[in-house]
Amino acid sequence: MSGSHEEETENPLDAARQLLMQELDKVREDKKTYPELADREKRVSTALAALDGGKGIKKRLGWVQVAEYVAEHPGAKAAEIAAALEAPLQNVYAHLARREGKVFKRAGEGWDVIKGWEKYRRDTEAE
């Protein structure tokens, strides 16, 4: 019986290990769908931004908001930025173009911020 008792003490640990391994397998499987969800988010954001003119978004947008978003989302496209910030696409384009080379740089089809862009915040934040 003592052999049986030893098996009982090991079983809970083995069972817990097995459950954790199964959970890890599920997480890894779910993680595979992340790129699909990210692509779907981009498509929906782009579609929302395309409707920009139809809804007449009037939200005021500063270049700092655009820079902060791009810093958190490197490679973001203008339409994605506009949709995420709920601002007119033409405003986003204007901010990107005005500060290209100082704050923003092109990154393939999207945009990135230039290292040290924050130094421009104080003297032009009102724009």
Side-chain angles (χ1 to χ4, degrees), residues 66-81:
V66 175
E68 288 172 345
Y69 181 85
V70 173
E72 290 180 25
H73 303 88
K77 296 179 183 175
E80 296 167 28
I81 299 165

Side-chain angles (χ1 to χ4, degrees), residues 45-58 79 82-83 86-91:
S45 292
T46 301
L48 181 61
L51 295 176
D52 178 46
K55 192 172 181 185
I57 298 174
K58 300 277 186 188
E86 298 178 346
L89 182 58
Q90 52 272 39
N91 289 14

Side-chain angles (χ1 to χ4, degrees), residues 62-117:
W63 73 266
V64 173
Q65 291 170 287
V66 175
E68 288 172 345
Y69 181 85
V70 173
E72 290 180 25
H73 303 88
K77 296 179 183 175
E80 296 167 28
I81 299 165
L85 299 177
E86 298 178 346
L89 182 58
Q90 52 272 39
N91 289 14
V92 172
Y93 277 130
H95 288 304
L96 292 169
R98 264 189 239 130
R99 289 169 183 80
E100 185 174 3
K102 287 184 178 179
V103 176
F104 303 106
K105 64 180 178 181
R106 293 188 184 271
E109 294 181 16
W111 293 86
D112 282 340
V113 289
I114 295 173
K115 186 176 179 179
W117 69 269

